[in-house]
Amino acid sequence: MLELQQVSVVFADGIPALQDVDFQVETGQIVALLGGSGAGKSTLLRAIAGLEQVQSGKVYLAGIDITALPAHKRNIGLVFQDFQLFPHRNVYRNVSYGLEMRRWKKSLVQERVQHLLELVDLAELSDRPIVKLSGGQQQRVAVARALAPNPRVLLLDEPFSALDKDLRVKLAKQLREILTFTQTTAVLVTHDENEARLMADKVFYLQAGKLVES
């Protein structure tokens, strides 16, 4: 589903962030990227998403070269560390946002959002304001919103880092079940090895911008 060939990214100050990275994720597979601060984990995610310019190498999605394709045309879902939910929208309208932007029919939006809210166990909170949700509930809304447009790949950038340890473990297990059930191809960035092992089918380590399979 996703393949990077010899991908390198260099920051504006000339410092290399990624060096000749070869990386492959099969359809429906969950892969975790582990590494210390500054190892290049988030940069690799941003390069896949089209938010970071690739200086050399290629990024392929389902066999198609997307290296130069703008981020909004890649059909890749993102879940950020701080969730980046819309505080002025309730749970339902956060999840429906991407579908509204794609001009889905209202009946199809309702069906898709209802299905996802049931999947993440938030169906009874569809009208609840975002600011009145717990951290764990907000995380599940963020996942549902990212899954709504049926992305080819879901990217998760330290999605549990703002939560306490017990809740992180619980949500990691729950999220793996959701991704497995929906057969979603996913790449998770984390600094927590236990979290990576709980969620992923395969774990890679990043060190100084270079990738090492565990």
Side-chain angles (χ1 to χ4, degrees):
M1 175 58 74
L2 174 67
E3 184 177 6
L4 278 65
Q5 294 183 357
Q6 296 289 291
V7 166
S8 294
V9 173
V10 180
F11 289 142
D13 56 9
I15 296 175
L18 298 174
Q19 302 179 58
D20 298 323
V21 170
D22 288 312
F23 180 64
Q24 191 171 19
V25 186
E26 303 296 336
T27 301
Q29 189 176 44
I30 304 170
V31 170
L33 297 171
L34 271 172
S37 179
K41 304 186 302 297
S42 293
T43 301
L44 179 53
L45 227 59
R46 290 174 61 82
I48 294 169
L51 301 174
E52 195 75 60
Q53 183 179 357
V54 172
Q55 270 70 41
S56 62
K58 297 289 184 180
V59 181
Y60 294 92
L61 186 61
I64 298 172
D65 183 357
I66 62 167
T67 312
L69 197 66
H72 68 278
K73 293 185 177 182
R74 296 193 180 198
N75 193 22
I76 291 177
L78 286 164
V79 177
F80 297 97
Q81 185 174 343
D82 59 357
F83 310 144
Q84 295 193 12
L85 298 172
F86 303 116
H88 61 287
R89 286 175 168 247
N90 61 19
V91 169
Y92 179 97
R93 296 207 62 226
N94 263 273
V95 178
S96 69
Y97 176 77
L99 306 180
E100 293 170 9
M101 293 301 99
R102 289 166 175 78
R103 301 185 184 280
W104 280 36
K105 290 183 179 179
K106 188 174 181 180
S107 60
L108 294 178
V109 171
Q110 291 175 337
E111 182 180 345
R112 179 65 175 163
V113 173
Q114 183 63 30
H115 169 69
L116 286 167
L117 290 180
E118 289 174 359
L119 191 63
V120 299
D121 198 25
L122 291 175
E124 295 181 359
L125 301 181
S126 62
D127 294 328
R128 175 113 10 132
I130 289 297
V131 294
K132 293 188 177 181
L133 297 180
S134 68
Q137 289 169 333
Q138 289 187 26
Q139 192 267 355
R140 284 182 280 154
V141 173
V143 169
R145 184 180 66 179
L147 289 174
N150 291 312
R152 304 296 295 271
V153 176
L154 181 64
L155 307 178
L156 303 113
D157 193 357
E158 304 230 27
F160 311 114
S161 62
L163 309 174
D164 64 62
K165 184 177 179 179
D166 290 342
L167 185 55
R168 286 204 307 269
V169 171
K170 178 181 177 181
L171 289 176
K173 291 178 179 178
Q174 184 180 47
L175 182 52
R176 176 173 173 80
E177 290 175 358
I178 291 169
L179 296 178
T180 302
F181 178 78
T182 57
Q183 297 183 317
T184 301
T185 306
V187 181
L188 165 75
V189 160
T190 179
H191 62 275
D192 186 324
E193 185 162 359
N194 290 331
E195 188 174 285
R197 300 293 175 187
L198 273 174
M199 278 201 62
D201 302 309
K202 184 181 288 187
V203 178
F204 289 88
Y205 290 88
L206 265 170
Q207 298 176 340
K210 296 182 179 180
L211 202 62
V212 181
E213 186 176 345
S214 64

